[in-house]
Amino acid sequence: MIEEKDIEPIGQFLKTHGLKGELNVQLDVDSDFINPDTPLIVNMDGIFVPFYPDSIRPKGRFSSLIRICGIDTEQKARQFVNKTIFALKSQLADFIGEDEDGDGEYAENLIGFEIFDETSDRMIGTIESVDYSTANVLFILEHEGETVYVPATADFITGFDSDNKIINMRLPDGLINLNTKEPKL
């Protein structure tokens, strides 16, 4: 059973499109996140139900058209209109830093998010940019007046709060101090 603590909103169904069950959606994640193996989770009468996309195609700059497996008429598609689309947090974490080329361009979607470190139980800073120059994608943020690099890896990410733009991470002890001018021992 899918629980609310395990999912994160990623967009919304806006309206039906055509007569064959397509839906116009607005996504907060790159449309490449959507694939036949990624369930789109929808709250249907208080139960989070996974639906699998059959196809997705861009429609304009800010929306896409999605067809869901088994939804093949406008009438069936209407039940989704104005509903929030959720994704599993675990799949979102795996998606960060990965794209089909493996160069991590999707981490840029998180610029402006704050990082909360569960290890030290404090806010570390806000992601200002992303560094793709190394084998590991890095979030670049300012912490106490200094630039700090944090690996953008699913291994450290424990959750997302997209409403408040916070990424919860469990960072190894001492990681934040590695890049400072005067390491704190």
Side-chain angles (χ1 to χ4, degrees), residues 124-163:
I124 301 301
T126 302
I127 300 171
E128 296 179 351
S129 61
V130 179
D131 182 351
Y132 301 109
S133 66
T134 65
N136 297 314
V137 177
L138 301 170
F139 293 134
I140 301 173
L141 47 116
E142 185 177 315
H143 174 73
E144 298 178 357
E146 296 193 51
T147 300
V148 174
Y149 299 86
V150 174
T153 175
D155 294 338
F156 295 160
I157 296 172
T158 60
F160 292 89
D161 179 350
S162 61
D163 292 337

Side-chain angles (χ1 to χ4, degrees), residues 16 25 49 60 91 95 102 114 118 136 148:
T16 61
V25 300
V49 179
Q91 288 184 320
F95 183 69
E114 290 183 278
E118 294 176 354
N136 297 314
V148 174

